Amino acid sequence: MNYNFKCDYYRMTGEKYSFSIKSLINILFKHNLKLMFLIRLAAHKNSLFSKILRCYIYLFKRKYGIDMHPNTQIGEGLALGHAYNITINPEAVIGKNVNLTKGVTIGREPRGRRIGSPTIGNSVYIGVNATVVGNIKVGNNVLIAPNSFVNIDIPDDSIVLGNPCKIISNEYATKNYVFFLV
């Protein structure tokens, strides 16, 4: 089993992955675990099997609105909470122990001085319906509040609020939000 998926499983369930009936049932019936399993599996293969997995991932996109490409650079321990309508640009880079919630968009800026996709640091929580766009860097230990629009660089240990975003320095920004760290 892929190490990154084991970390994802632990972050989403709080239990270590083991090759057991319980783990298999969790993967089969929890769509966020199933999606991460398929993405991690499809990312490392370039075969007919991988193409079949990518078709299945496309069905997830249609059913749950989750647009996440297998080639996206995703660190270990990605947690999808209420995984519906999540969009991640394939060029984005996501660090370790990141939490994404319903309606999150991590997108590419097509023009202007921030052309490109974001780089998300480690131990980042992105709240419901938050949008992160452009060639920006989001530091480590950052909490992006629900409904925030982020298009500027965010330093480490920060809380981000609103549109336009307001940055508040906080050493414990993600203390009760990012849990089961790997």
Side-chain angles (χ1 to χ4, degrees), residues 3-78:
Y3 173 73
N4 287 336
F5 176 72
K6 287 180 181 181
C7 294
D8 299 338
Y9 184 90
Y10 176 68
R11 294 273 339 281
M12 286 190 253
T13 64
E15 302 170 358
K16 294 201 179 223
Y17 175 83
S18 62
F19 193 73
S20 66
I21 297 296
K22 182 178 180 184
S23 295
L24 183 62
I25 288 171
N26 277 336
I27 293 170
L28 289 175
F29 293 106
K30 293 184 178 179
H31 70 275
N32 54 352
L33 286 172
K34 189 186 308 183
L35 174 69
M36 286 312 301
F37 177 75
L38 294 172
I39 284 177
R40 297 292 190 185
L41 200 56
H44 299 291
K45 310 262 189 242
N46 195 12
S47 63
L48 178 62
F49 180 66
S50 175
K51 290 177 181 162
I52 292 168
L53 288 175
R54 288 171 190 249
C55 290
Y56 197 64
I57 292 167
Y58 177 76
L59 294 176
F60 262 89
K61 177 181 175 181
R62 303 288 295 175
K63 184 173 183 179
Y64 299 109
I66 301 173
D67 190 1
M68 192 184 280
H69 197 275
N71 292 342
T72 305
Q73 292 181 25
I74 302 171
E76 59 205 42
L78 179 67

Side-chain angles (χ1 to χ4, degrees), residues 12 24 37 51 54-55 62 64-65 80-81 105-106 112 114 117 132 135 140 149 162 165:
M12 286 190 253
L24 183 62
F37 177 75
K51 290 177 181 162
R54 288 171 190 249
C55 290
R62 303 288 295 175
Y64 299 109
L80 303 174
T105 300
I106 300 174
R114 288 184 291 272
S117 297
V132 182
N135 186 12
N140 300 323
F149 180 77
C165 65

